[in-house]
Amino acid sequence: MPEETRLCGEQGAGKDLVASFMHGYEKIAFADALRNMVCDSGAVVEYEGEQVHVSSVVSTFGWDGAKRQIPEIRRVLQNVGGAVRAIDPDYWVKEVARQAKRHPYVVCPDVRYQNEANLCNVVLLVHRPNNPFVQEARHQSESGWRGIATRATVVNDSTPPALHGRVKALLRKHGIQAKQL
C-alpha cells in the first residue's frame, strides 16, 4: 500500500502548488478521472454566445483557467461528479486507489469529502489568507472538506519559494516521507 498524503482547502488555496513541491510523490487527483469523463463525453457549454466543447476550452485555458473563464464548467464537473457519487459514493476513491497502488508515494491535492480522506496516511489543510479565488460555497464539493480532520496546516501567504520552504519543513516535522524534498 502506498504512503498517501491528501490535501484539502478552498479553491485557489494552492493545493496543486503544494503537491508540486512534494518531490518523489505521484500526484493523482480525484478529479482526474472526472475531468477525463467530462471531456470524453463531448460536454458543451456556452461561451461568448456560442456552444463550445469543454475539451476545447480546457485545451485553451487549462482546467483552472477554464473554470474561472466559464463558471458553467465547474457546475458541469460538479453535476457529473455528483451523479456518479449518487450511484457509487466511493467511485472516485476506488479510481484513485487503483492508480495509487502502482506508486510508493502519492499526493492527492483535491480532497473534498470525508470518504476521500479516509484510508490515507496524512491529510493536510492548505490555507491562503485573503484568497482572491474564494467564492461562496454553492455546492457540497466546495465546502465538504471543512469537516475533515487534518494533521497540520500549510499557510500560503507569500511567494512560491517561501511556500516551498514551509512545505519541506512541515513534511519533515510530521515525518512524511518522500524520495527527495
Side-chain angles (χ1 to χ4, degrees):
M1 184 165 176
E3 177 176 301
E4 293 187 41
T5 299
R6 299 192 177 170
L7 307 174
C8 65
E10 296 173 318
Q11 64 182 0
K15 300 178 296 289
D16 282 308
L17 184 58
V18 169
S20 75
F21 294 146
M22 296 179 69
H23 305 290
Y25 278 71
E26 183 69 24
K27 180 179 143 189
I28 303 173
F30 288 99
D32 288 343
L34 171 60
R35 291 171 180 157
N36 291 338
M37 186 181 286
V38 167
C39 283
D40 292 348
S41 75
V44 173
V45 294
E46 187 173 321
Y47 179 62
E48 296 181 344
E50 295 185 31
Q51 298 292 309
V52 295
H53 287 274
V54 170
S55 58
S56 298
V57 178
V58 169
S59 67
T60 301
F61 297 108
W63 275 106
D64 287 338
K67 290 184 291 185
R68 288 189 185 112
Q69 189 75 22
I70 307 172
E72 182 61 22
I73 291 176
R74 180 178 296 280
R75 286 186 285 284
V76 168
L77 290 166
Q78 291 168 338
N79 290 339
V80 172
V84 171
R85 283 179 62 82
I87 296 166
D88 181 357
D90 290 323
Y91 179 86
W92 306 115
V93 173
K94 290 186 264 190
E95 181 61 27
V96 166
R98 184 184 65 74
Q99 294 176 51
K101 67 183 177 184
R102 295 179 281 189
H103 307 282
Y105 301 102
V106 174
V107 60
C108 300
D110 61 343
V111 170
R112 292 178 180 87
Y113 297 97
Q114 184 63 53
N115 68 331
E116 295 173 352
N118 295 342
L119 303 175
C120 73
N121 304 81
V122 178
V123 179
L124 303 174
L125 171 65
V126 181
H127 175 64
R128 183 176 184 179
N130 304 313
N131 184 342
F133 301 111
V134 152
Q135 300 172 358
E136 181 182 336
R138 296 182 188 140
H139 189 270
Q140 166 102 27
S141 66
E142 296 169 348
S143 61
W145 61 269
R146 287 192 165 103
I148 295 171
T150 59
R151 184 183 291 183
T153 299
V154 179
V155 178
N156 177 12
D157 65 354
S158 188
T159 64
L163 179 61
H164 185 223
R166 287 179 184 166
V167 170
K168 284 172 52 174
L170 185 128
L171 295 178
R172 285 192 182 108
K173 176 181 177 182
H174 291 279
I176 300 169
Q177 303 289 325
K179 292 178 188 172
Q180 174 188 24
L181 297 174

